[in-house]
Amino acid sequence: VGSSVVIDDILDSLRRRGLRMTPQRRAIVTEILELHGHISAGEVAERVQKRIPGVNASTVYRTLALLEDVGVLSHAHFERGVEYHRSEDASHVHLVCAHCGAHDSLTTAEIKPLERLVRKHHGFLPDLTHFAISGTCRNCQTRAGG
Amino acid sequence: VGSSVVIDDILDSLRRRGLRMTPQRRAIVTEILELHGHISAGEVAERVQKRIPGVNASTVYRTLALLEDVGVLSHAHFERGVEYHRSEDASHVHLVCAHCGAHDSLTTAEIKPLERLVRKHHGFLPDLTHFAISGTCRNCQTRAGG
DNA sequence: GTATATGCAAAGGTTTTGCACAGCC
DNA sequence: GGCTGTGCAAAACCTTTGCATATAC
């Protein structure tokens, strides 16, 4: 499907660090690469257990932490808690409607001016991808206003 | 100390809803009003128990939810989880340095242009106070850069 | 007196940790 | 073979819930 190449890249970067490749890790990495978006540790555990029954949740947690440490994954904060995503996919801001739960996102280009605004005022270099942005989507504004 | 007037306002708004004022609630409200900033449910429980030993954590959770429902409190998301603050204090965005943990904030005036940017691109009306903004503070940028 | 709030205890959920064993390199 | 990763079990948190009792109004 094309993702196998990427998987091998990741496996290589793990090996380079003297880390080992196990069926469990491979399954976890595969699961996350096939997903475009974000996923909780619990969901990863569920899905991986469908591939390899018996994989323990603690293994999933440890592997996610490891992959984050290596730089393959990042986590972001949503209303329901922490979710993981490929670091490559980190370049967009999550907009979540507090009323209907709809997700939308800002692209890298759209984020830049936002970053600049925050930086100018406080010298603070924001990572707007790390926490979602809550609010009201266009649809829900219409409903509330009409 | 001046906050007693505010407390009475809150107690009134509870009574108006047919809700009762108990020593526990009074202690919880007092604790939060004396704090300018944000605090986790666990911390509230700890502090309240110093005033009234024996107050149960479930009472604290229920009271916080109630106060949020009434509109006195709001919650926001930080790296370590959910924290509560007076709704009046909600008008600033939390900037948290991912490296040193330093907190800073944007004022209402500073938030406006940010909101406008997000709204223009997606019609999405953001509540930038609900999630913190992670990043690198000026100090930590200097250290990293130098 | 009655409806509400509290305490208690238990349960549910998530995440972490210690340890013996299994398995990758 | 040695070091790393895994499973298991338990624990540590955090938060919620059901129920009997206490209490504010």
Side-chain angles (χ1 to χ4, degrees), chain B residues 36-103:
Chain B
H36 286 278
H38 39 88
I39 187 170
S40 69
E43 284 174 302
V44 173
E46 258 183 48
R47 295 190 186 189
V48 168
Q49 276 161 13
K50 280 176 189 161
R51 292 176 186 264
I52 305 182
V55 173
N56 196 269
S58 64
T59 298
V60 173
Y61 280 99
R62 286 189 277 229
T63 301
L64 291 174
L66 176 71
L67 292 174
E68 185 165 22
D69 200 52
V70 170
V72 173
L73 295 183
S74 304
H75 76 267
H77 296 260
F78 295 86
E79 194 67 37
R80 292 193 294 171
V82 167
E83 308 223 338
Y84 288 86
H85 54 81
R86 298 170 59 175
S87 292
E88 301 173 14
D89 290 351
S91 51
H92 59 269
V93 174
H94 298 281
L95 305 177
V96 185
C97 179
H99 305 275
C100 69
H103 277 244

Side-chain angles (χ1 to χ4, degrees), chain A residues 15 20-23 41-42 58 61-62 82:
Chain A
R15 275 188 222 110
R20 295 172 184 175
M21 189 41 48
T22 62
S58 65
Y61 280 98
R62 285 188 277 228
V82 167

Side-chain angles (χ1 to χ4, degrees), chain A residues 81-101:
Chain A
V82 167
E83 308 223 338
Y84 287 86
H85 54 82
R86 297 171 59 177
S87 294
E88 299 172 14
D89 290 351
S91 51
H92 59 271
V93 174
H94 297 280
L95 305 178
V96 185
C97 179
H99 304 276
C100 69

